[in-house]
Amino acid sequence: MFEIIGVSKHYDGLCAVNEVSFQIHDKERVSIQGESGCGKSTLLRMIAGLLVQDEGEIRRNGEILPEDPHLRGVSMVFQDSLLWNHMTVQENILFGSGKKSRAERTGQAEELAETFGIKELLKRYPNQISGGQARRAAIARALACERALLLLDEPFSNLDPDWKERTMEGVRLKCAGNCAILLVTHNRNEAEKLCNTHYRMEAGRLIL
Amino acid sequence: MIWKKFTKLAIRKNGNCAGMILYLLLAFVPVLYLTVTGGVDRLPVLSERRAGLLYHSVIIAFFTAVCCVSVGLFVAVKLHSKKRGNALGRWFFLLTAPVPSYIYALTYMNLVRMMGRFIPSLLRYRMAGILPCVTVEGFAFLPYACAAAMIALEQVDAGEWKAAWLCRSSDRVYWKIVFPKQLPYLMAIGAVIFVLSITDYTIPSLFQVNVYAMEIFSDYSAAGRSAHSMELSVPLLFVSAAVILMGILPLRNVVKPMKDDEEVIPQYSRLMNMAGDVAVLVAVLQIVLPVLSLIPYVGNLSGAYVFAGEELWNSGITGLGAVAFTMIPSAMMALQLAEQKTMKPVWLGIAIAPLAIPGVLTGIGVLKFFSDTPLHVLRSGNIMPAIGMAIRYLPFAMLIQYGCYLRMDRNRIDAARLLQTGRGQAFFRVKVFMMIPGMVIAGLVVFLLTLGDVGTALMLMPAGKEPLSVKIYNYLHYGASETVAVLCFMQMAVCLAAVGVLYFGTWIWQKNHKR
């Protein structure tokens, strides 16, 4: 279980996140909805360890999370795809997959690519695929890490309606029984389809 | 054990400390060592003669910087207002960026001699003085000014241009909206050109102008008193450091991350276009004149290789050595500065301050350090000049890489830090690849600057290890212009070959990554 306890973040005197507290139980699917600029992405980056909170604590099973992002048991899909251009799609997907044999890793990449409809793109470089395909590759990359919590920052925003549905279904399938989800979005439909616990964020404060 | 600790420290979160310490040690070694061992305890009194030399130096450097920046500004304005074609066409002025300044000196001499056949009075008035120095140095540094002005223009968002065009003409938009954004870059390159010019004595000495850097060199050559040379350098260091800090510090936060932007094509007034045309003509002359002046001697190139092959070898080895010694400390310092969150101006100020150290002082410091320590065993080979050149051009390499690293997409690095499976994976598999372009450009610049350097090389070259640049400089003094022309052509060919190798390498790499 992840516990976010009284977390705040200030930028030049402005409060981006204001004493936010909530819990994410194992395998729970939580959404935070809110308008642009209300502090959703800042909160995700603090949970991921990419930003340090000014106040409050983030704990996992009672223990404060380590400073190093990769040791926190969290993976993330960012607002932009952020694939690394010097690696193929397959290398991008397998970047964070743990210590496995070569065959297992290739199998994992192919399975994820199949789920998200990018199997034939595995050998291509990010600048050779479309924005939507890159977004699906980024989701596959985050899932390949097999961490306890998957953070999703507006992950479906530039997918066409058909692929949006299929990708959401893919995420639900791959996470079922494996990991918890924290989705931030301003799209109510996405939140309701993917998650079962919902929060709202307004001006840095979390409202149930 | 020590190496293990060093690498652990180097890749630690927010801690390129080891590289930073190495950078600061290397960059300040010559000055610190001369200060500590020489017991510099009093500031030199500027005699009237020396004040005059400093005045000459400042005048030459100031006008060189102003001319370069002014022409560069209008070249950029003109080229930016044309439809984007291939990169080679747009950045043509960089073709002769690697050409050392004494090649322009020879071009100038040849041209004046040629014109002197028709106007004999030219020969009397135009072969000496401040004007030829400014002209020659202006031509030599012009490509850098053009490049900085172009990079600055390309940093401005297409949206900003377009929003402003709805209200005002292109001229007005340029001067009110775009120029203020371009200014920090222009000030920075102006400061760098000023310092390169004020710390150089080779070009002024060819045109019989006494400058302050020459005074330091001749004082050391006459008496061999390194501490006195250090004392003597203080006024020059003071002026250079002030210009560097004022010129470069405003640049610290203005660079935005790399991204593809829409193309904008401003429609300037006739006056702006005319100014642009004149500036582009100057930039074209900067390429055409040295080539035309050297072409008659192409036939002797193979003979020149036999004549100066060993010097060319020394130059190449020293250049490669300098690149090798420069890369890690400059990259680590630049990375740390780009990621620095607190006291950034202070750290940047400290890091760029060594730019102000004249090459001759670096040479004297390194020579004394090697002579006084067990390192004296290395004095007879190419290692000492390579280390000297690395120290001299370390801040240049750092500054180039700092600019490149500011443009790296931090979010991609954050993604790697989060998704990596072990510490170091994000650095070695993602960050290093994003650093490579900056490292390659910095390496090439250090190599070319080392190849063309005379000021530091004269102090550090061991007996029988003369580099090509020094040979050319010596022959220029003797006035053997045919031999010099062939050697210059050889030097220019090597510089262009180095750029060509880089361009080819980049092309191959891109071809493998873009089908």
Side-chain angles (χ1 to χ4, degrees):
Chain A
M1 183 176 72
F2 285 83
E3 292 170 280
I4 291 89
I5 309 162
V7 167
S8 298
K9 183 75 187 172
H10 303 267
Y11 289 113
D12 300 326
L14 284 174
C15 189
V17 175
N18 192 359
E19 290 185 20
V20 166
S21 299
F22 67 105
Q23 294 175 346
I24 308 165
H25 295 280
D26 289 349
K27 296 159 199 168
E28 190 182 7
R29 299 198 300 267
V30 178
S31 79
I32 298 178
Q33 296 166 60
E35 289 169 9
S36 301
C38 70
K40 309 185 297 280
S41 296
T42 306
L43 179 62
L44 281 204
R45 292 180 77 84
M46 285 193 287
I47 296 172
L50 300 172
L51 268 182
V52 180
Q53 67 270 20
D54 296 331
E55 290 155 31
E57 287 174 350
I58 302 171
R59 292 174 177 268
R60 183 183 173 191
N61 299 331
E63 284 183 20
I64 291 179
L65 289 180
E67 263 184 51
D68 265 355
H70 75 280
L71 300 176
R72 293 166 83 100
V74 171
S75 66
M76 183 165 172
V77 179
F78 295 81
Q79 257 181 27
D80 297 319
S81 303
L82 302 182
L83 296 179
W84 302 296
N85 289 330
H86 63 282
M87 295 184 197
T88 61
V89 170
Q90 177 164 326
E91 286 165 342
N92 265 281
I93 292 174
L94 292 178
F95 179 83
S97 79
K99 286 175 184 167
K100 292 175 183 166
S101 70
R102 194 186 171 90
E104 276 178 314
R105 282 159 60 84
T106 311
Q108 186 190 18
E110 282 176 359
E111 192 189 323
L112 281 165
E114 179 97 58
T115 307
F116 295 106
I118 48 172
K119 196 172 178 186
E120 64 282 8
L121 310 176
L122 282 174
K123 299 290 174 208
R124 291 206 194 167
Y125 287 92
N127 49 17
Q128 297 165 338
I129 62 178
S130 72
Q133 290 165 335
R135 174 49 57 98
R136 282 180 269 143
I139 293 171
R141 178 179 69 178
L143 283 166
C145 296
E146 296 177 339
R147 306 254 169 98
L149 175 62
L150 175 66
L151 304 173
L152 300 166
D153 191 357
E154 312 269 9
F156 313 111
S157 54
N158 62 349
L159 294 175
D160 59 64
D162 186 31
W163 269 113
K164 191 182 276 191
E165 290 294 326
R166 291 171 67 181
T167 308
M168 272 170 34
E169 187 55 33
V171 171
R172 198 166 29 224
L173 271 174
K174 291 291 168 193
C175 283
N178 291 321
C179 67
I181 289 176
L182 175 57
L183 166 74
V184 303
T185 179
H186 53 248
N187 187 320
R188 198 172 161 180
N189 285 340
E190 283 174 16
E192 283 175 357
K193 276 182 187 163
L194 191 65
C195 302
N196 38 32
T197 307
H198 305 282
Y199 294 100
R200 224 187 130 65
M201 204 161 175
E202 280 175 17
R205 285 189 174 277
L206 199 68
I207 303 160
L208 195 60
Chain B
M1 184 71 176
I2 294 170
W3 175 246
K4 216 172 177 180
K5 275 189 179 170
F6 179 81
T7 47
K8 200 174 173 184
L9 194 64
I11 61 170
R12 207 185 62 192
K13 183 193 167 198
N14 200 24
N16 307 305
C17 312
M20 235 172 129
I21 293 165
L22 191 62
Y23 173 90
L24 293 174
L25 274 178
L26 275 175
F28 287 105
V29 147
V31 170
L32 285 179
Y33 191 69
L34 287 175
T35 310
V36 171
T37 57
V40 178
D41 51 9
R42 63 187 173 86
L43 287 177
V45 180
L46 267 184
S47 64
E48 198 177 325
R49 194 181 73 82
R50 283 183 180 150
L53 297 180
L54 190 60
Y55 174 74
H56 281 167
S57 299
V58 171
I59 288 289
I60 294 173
F62 175 76
F63 281 107
T64 303
V66 168
C67 291
C68 284
V69 169
S70 312
V71 176
L73 171 82
F74 285 106
V75 167
V77 162
K78 184 71 190 176
L79 295 178
H80 189 258
S81 67
K82 297 281 171 204
K83 211 169 164 54
R84 281 185 205 176
N86 63 28
L88 271 184
R90 269 166 75 79
W91 296 82
F92 76 92
F93 49 80
L94 282 176
L95 189 68
T96 45
V99 175
S101 49
Y102 42 80
I103 293 183
Y104 286 101
L106 178 70
T107 305
Y108 181 90
M109 289 170 182
N110 283 349
L111 280 175
V112 171
R113 238 178 249 128
M114 217 162 64
M115 287 161 71
R117 286 181 198 157
F118 309 103
I119 319 165
S121 58
L122 260 184
L123 283 174
R124 212 175 325 141
Y125 297 112
R126 294 290 171 255
M127 285 300 247
I130 286 177
L131 180 68
C133 296
V134 173
T135 311
V136 165
E137 291 190 358
F139 266 132
F141 299 133
L142 184 60
Y144 302 109
C146 294
M150 277 288 271
I151 290 169
L153 268 187
E154 302 212 333
Q155 298 278 315
V156 182
D157 278 329
E160 285 182 72
W161 283 92
K162 287 176 180 173
W165 277 338
L166 292 175
C167 317
R168 296 283 186 169
S169 68
S170 288
D171 283 26
R172 199 109 174 108
V173 169
Y174 175 75
W175 291 113
K176 286 275 175 194
I177 309 285
V178 179
F179 181 69
K181 289 172 182 285
Q182 216 182 356
L183 198 57
Y185 292 83
L186 297 175
M187 281 172 64
I189 195 67
V192 169
I193 291 173
F194 181 93
V195 167
L196 280 172
S197 172
I198 204 171
T199 54
D200 175 61
Y201 60 83
T202 56
I203 297 303
S205 73
L206 290 173
F207 294 106
Q208 287 95 51
V209 179
N210 280 330
V211 289
Y212 204 88
M214 187 68 188
E215 178 75 356
I216 302 169
F217 175 70
S218 48
D219 179 82
Y220 182 76
S221 300
R225 294 175 300 166
S226 47
H228 188 253
S229 304
M230 177 66 214
E231 285 172 8
L232 201 56
S233 305
V234 172
L236 192 64
L237 277 173
F238 183 75
V239 174
S240 307
V243 171
I244 278 290
L245 293 179
M246 282 190 303
I248 296 183
L249 281 185
L251 192 65
R252 65 187 181 274
N253 287 323
V254 296
V255 185
K256 66 170 192 177
M258 259 186 284
K259 63 173 186 181
D260 292 328
D261 214 342
E262 279 178 76
E263 189 172 2
V264 284
I265 304 172
Q267 304 292 325
Y268 291 116
S269 66
R270 190 185 286 180
L271 193 68
M272 280 281 274
N273 274 321
M274 263 172 58
D277 288 336
V278 172
V280 170
L281 180 70
V282 174
V284 171
L285 284 178
Q286 172 253 143
I287 296 170
V288 171
L289 289 181
V291 173
L292 280 183
S293 138
L294 298 177
I295 271 179
Y297 308 100
V298 176
N300 297 332
L301 208 54
S302 59
Y305 181 75
V306 177
F307 174 61
E310 203 178 319
E311 285 79 2
L312 187 62
W313 171 255
N314 289 332
S315 293
I317 288 293
T318 308
L320 289 176
V323 172
F325 287 120
T326 314
M327 273 306 100
I328 289 180
S330 62
M332 289 300 154
M333 185 76 203
L335 200 57
Q336 178 62 32
L337 277 177
E339 291 172 356
Q340 187 78 28
K341 288 191 176 70
T342 52
M343 292 171 61
K344 194 168 183 169
V346 177
W347 279 109
L348 184 60
I350 293 171
I352 58 174
L355 278 173
I357 301 172
V360 58
L361 192 65
T362 305
I364 294 170
V366 171
L367 191 62
K368 184 160 173 55
F369 187 75
F370 270 72
S371 304
D372 294 354
T373 60
L375 290 172
H376 67 85
V377 292
L378 299 173
R379 276 189 59 176
S380 56
N382 280 317
I383 290 183
M384 185 178 73
I387 292 178
M389 293 298 181
I391 291 174
R392 166 80 176 120
Y393 295 116
L394 196 60
F396 291 85
M398 190 284 299
L399 199 58
I400 292 167
Q401 289 179 85
Y402 171 66
C404 293
Y405 299 163
L406 279 181
R407 303 185 76 197
M408 287 196 310
D409 188 348
R410 301 271 137 215
N411 288 328
R412 282 199 162 80
I413 297 168
D414 277 349
R417 279 176 57 214
L418 176 66
L419 301 178
Q420 66 185 343
T421 49
R423 187 176 281 166
Q425 192 187 359
F427 181 81
F428 288 110
R429 286 197 59 198
V430 176
K431 214 168 178 177
V432 164
F433 283 89
M434 294 167 88
M435 289 164 68
I436 282 174
M439 291 176 86
V440 170
I441 296 170
L444 183 75
V445 170
V446 169
F447 181 76
L448 295 174
L449 286 171
T450 302
L451 226 60
D453 185 281
V454 174
T456 315
L458 267 175
M459 303 303 309
L460 293 177
M461 60 179 195
K465 298 275 182 189
E466 188 185 41
L468 188 57
S469 57
V470 173
K471 195 175 185 95
I472 293 173
Y473 180 67
N474 288 337
Y475 272 87
L476 266 174
H477 273 289
Y478 300 147
S481 69
E482 284 189 14
T483 313
V484 172
V486 184
L487 294 180
C488 282
F489 203 88
M490 201 158 114
Q491 174 96 323
M492 205 165 126
V494 172
C495 292
L496 292 177
V499 178
V501 166
L502 173 74
Y503 186 77
F504 185 67
T506 313
W507 180 74
I508 295 272
W509 194 84
Q510 281 181 343
K511 201 179 161 201
N512 285 336
H513 285 75
K514 280 181 193 170
R515 257 175 294 167

